[in-house]
Amino acid sequence: MPSFATRQAMVEAMRRMLDLGLSQGTSGNLSVRSGSGFLVTPSGIPAEQLSPDDLVPMDFDGQWDHPLAPSSEWRFHRDILAARPEIGAVVHAHPPYATGFAICGREIPAVHYMIAMAGGATIRCAPYAPYGTQQLSDFALDALEGRSACLLANHGMIATGPNLSKAMWLAVEVEALCRQYAIALQVGTPVVLSDTEVAETVERFRSYGPREKSGH
């Protein structure tokens, strides 16, 4: 049974997405691995009305037993968690800058060393597919190959992490990078870092990111 602390953290993360401008209204959803399945946010419940009991437990067969239906995007949450055992949480959002590039079908190149936080020299943009479909999930998995974040064409972004705090951190950093890239394109021609420079930073980033405080 998922702990209350996990459920509460998910509710707080959904509200934080609104506060940070990563999502609007009922857009955006997230999941956390739990036991032999996962917890996912429900469909159509605004973040400010969400309670810990509203989160929907699912198994990897796509089954659930809950009064509320899971997010319409549950397929890519399930498939990412099933395919990538190192991932413990998935965040999906529609932030303005990341979504702007997704609308243009553009990947994000290595214009800043922080691209390494997503695992490689690009943040890919998956091709368009209707929301909630298996095709979208398949495209997202391909775009996430060797990466921890991607864009979804004409849709939004996905960020993942070993836990919810790191997945949320990555979502914020991806949006910041997209904003910086958008500004740079207005200023002039962005300089792209080499694959070697990015690979060095990827290695250094293996121990980078938010850490939990240890008790004393």
Side-chain angles (χ1 to χ4, degrees):
M1 185 72 177
S3 71
F4 179 81
T6 298
R7 291 173 174 272
Q8 186 61 38
M10 292 176 69
V11 170
E12 290 171 2
M14 284 293 291
R15 291 174 182 162
R16 187 162 174 254
M17 284 208 290
L18 284 182
D19 293 341
L20 293 170
L22 295 179
S23 292
Q24 318 80 35
T26 58
S27 72
N29 39 76
L30 52 87
S31 63
V32 170
R33 189 184 298 278
S34 177
S36 60
F38 61 101
L39 270 179
V40 66
T41 47
S43 177
I45 306 294
E48 60 270 19
Q49 297 178 22
L50 195 63
S51 76
D53 290 338
D54 294 333
L55 298 166
V56 182
M58 294 191 69
D59 62 32
F60 287 109
D61 291 328
Q63 303 299 311
W64 71 91
D65 181 14
H66 193 275
L68 297 175
S71 165
S72 58
E73 304 292 15
W74 65 264
R75 286 176 180 81
F76 67 62
H77 286 277
R78 175 197 62 184
D79 293 349
I80 292 167
L81 291 168
R84 300 277 297 272
E86 79 278 13
I87 290 174
V90 178
V91 172
H92 169 57
H94 303 166
Y97 287 91
T99 303
F101 283 108
I103 287 169
C104 295
R106 292 180 63 168
E107 71 176 18
I108 308 302
V111 290
H112 191 286
Y113 72 81
M114 284 295 284
I115 191 97
M117 66 196 166
T122 58
I123 295 174
R124 303 185 189 106
C125 184
Y128 177 76
Y131 77 89
T133 61
Q134 188 59 49
Q135 186 181 36
L136 177 61
S137 181
D138 294 342
F139 286 160
L141 273 180
D142 287 344
L144 285 167
E145 180 69 32
R147 301 286 190 272
S148 50
C150 73
L151 306 183
L152 304 174
N154 304 89
H155 188 156
M157 62 100 88
I158 293 173
T160 70
N163 54 52
L164 183 56
S165 64
K166 285 200 172 182
M168 284 290 292
W169 169 80
L170 184 57
V172 172
E173 293 294 340
V174 168
E175 174 64 358
L177 179 61
C178 290
R179 182 170 182 263
Q180 291 158 358
Y181 184 35
I183 292 169
L185 287 168
Q186 295 175 58
V187 172
T189 303
V191 175
V192 178
L193 298 172
S194 71
D195 288 352
T196 301
E197 288 167 325
V198 175
E200 180 185 329
T201 309
V202 167
E203 200 56 39
R204 295 176 71 180
F205 271 17
R206 294 197 187 281
S207 60
Y208 190 82
R211 295 190 180 101
E212 300 295 330
K213 284 187 176 180
S214 58
H216 294 286

